[in-house]
Amino acid sequence: MSNSKLSVDSIIVEDGTRIHFKDWGSGPAVVFSHGWPLQGDAWEDQMIFLASHGYRVIAHDRRGHGLSSQPWKGNDMDTYADDLATLLNALDIQDATLVGHSTGGGEVAHYIGRHGSARVKKAVLVGAVPPQMVQSPTNPGGLPMAVFDGIRDGVLKDRSQFFQDLSIPFYGYNRPGAKESKGVRDTFWLQGMQCGIKNAYDCIKQFSEVDYTEDLKKIDVPTLFVHGDDDQIVPIDAAARAAVKLVKNATLLVYEGAPHGLPTTHKDRLNADLLAFIQS
């Protein structure tokens, strides 16, 4: 990758797609992969905290999401992992802690499975989709395909309303005693609407149907799983509780009562746990 294709906030990858990223602070690198249908800004609470504590933090917008290009093709996990590899190589990142939320957790696992851990020191998967979300003969505890077909229908019929509605269970605002933030819900909607409709649609298959089992088995760095036991989007039993058994050197932190969007709702706790894990 020639450095002429790298600027202060974007890189042009092999197929011409522009991948936007933020690169803040200095020190050991922490690289963030966001969930669907969001963007790197979804990690802002963690990024400002860690950058203020002596770390270099990097978050890209997955192709099709945020400020990155919205290509018709290439909206698949192999390409997502390759885009991340191109970025890490261009910035010559060493000894990184990779942090992935939801779909981004799949991206982190698949990056290591596909490209190895030469640039990686540790990994953190938060509310992450691996090993596999959809129900199958090898994954009887997964969610029925009808769930994901419903998401596809929602995106095609009225994705603006769909994203507004999805923000409620995403942050657990439908639970007794939950203090709803209209601002958080508006931000989720805004980021969702910045994702291209074709990119959002294609990505649903990537977070639901891809089987990350072999990727997890290839992870050879210390790994932390963080998951809320009231995650209504990626239920914990078929996700983190299954995934932690497949990674050689892995720990699971269960946040009692926490929703899928815990990087926002439980940001202080996650920030402290991330810092402790990175420093350990």
Side-chain angles (χ1 to χ4, degrees):
M1 175 58 58
S2 82
N3 284 334
S4 62
K5 294 182 180 178
L6 177 68
S7 74
V8 68
D9 66 354
S10 70
I11 186 167
I12 308 299
V13 298
E14 192 175 1
D15 70 351
T17 299
R18 176 180 182 268
I19 303 295
H20 177 268
F21 65 89
K22 289 192 291 193
D23 182 356
W24 293 348
S26 57
V30 185
V31 181
F32 294 91
S33 290
H34 63 78
W36 180 91
L38 304 175
Q39 60 199 58
D41 285 345
W43 286 111
E44 63 182 23
D45 293 317
Q46 285 67 49
M47 293 181 72
I48 192 169
F49 174 82
L50 289 173
S52 301
H53 282 77
Y55 291 88
R56 178 184 182 184
V57 295
I58 298 162
H60 64 294
D61 296 349
R62 188 170 299 116
R63 61 170 52 218
H65 298 63
L67 299 176
S68 293
S69 304
Q70 298 180 0
W72 182 258
K73 294 179 178 176
N75 304 299
D76 59 81
M77 193 52 69
D78 284 352
T79 310
Y80 298 158
D82 293 349
D83 289 345
L84 178 56
T86 300
L87 178 62
L88 296 184
N89 293 345
L91 296 175
D92 195 23
I93 299 301
Q94 306 289 343
D95 297 324
T97 299
L98 301 186
V99 185
H101 176 244
S102 196
T103 306
E107 184 176 276
V108 166
H110 197 55
Y111 167 82
I112 295 174
R114 190 167 165 89
H115 294 278
S117 59
R119 296 187 179 275
V120 185
K121 189 176 184 181
K122 296 179 181 179
V124 185
L125 279 71
V126 183
V129 298
Q132 189 180 23
M133 279 197 77
V134 75
Q135 198 173 55
S136 69
T138 54
N139 188 39
L143 296 169
M145 182 64 81
V147 171
F148 305 107
D149 287 340
I151 297 173
R152 276 182 274 265
D153 288 346
V155 167
L156 291 181
K157 283 179 181 169
D158 183 352
R159 72 184 184 118
S160 182
Q161 187 62 49
F162 179 77
F163 290 150
Q164 290 200 354
D165 294 342
L166 181 61
S167 66
I168 296 175
F170 194 97
Y171 297 105
Y173 292 151
N174 54 348
R175 296 307 199 214
K179 189 178 180 216
E180 180 183 324
S181 164
K182 184 176 184 299
V184 166
R185 290 189 59 199
D186 287 350
T187 298
F188 180 93
W189 170 85
L190 178 65
Q191 291 188 18
M193 293 308 292
Q194 283 189 281
C195 183
I197 187 168
K198 173 67 158 60
N199 312 99
Y201 184 88
D202 286 358
C203 190
I204 296 164
K205 181 173 184 174
Q206 305 309 308
F207 70 67
S208 61
E209 293 179 46
V210 172
D211 186 345
Y212 298 95
T213 301
E214 294 308 311
D215 294 322
L216 293 171
K217 291 177 181 176
K218 289 178 184 172
I219 296 177
D220 55 359
V221 296
T223 302
L224 176 66
F225 288 88
V226 178
H227 217 104
D229 68 1
D230 191 33
D231 190 323
Q232 299 170 68
I233 309 299
V234 181
I236 187 172
D237 286 343
R241 285 191 173 129
V244 71
K245 299 172 185 172
L246 296 169
V247 179
K248 296 176 194 72
N249 184 8
T251 308
L252 170 60
L253 287 182
V254 178
Y255 285 17
E256 189 175 337
H260 190 55
L262 67 80
T264 299
T265 61
H266 292 61
K267 62 184 179 184
D268 293 340
R269 181 174 177 185
L270 180 61
N271 289 350
D273 286 338
L274 277 176
L275 186 62
F277 178 68
I278 294 165
Q279 291 177 340
S280 67

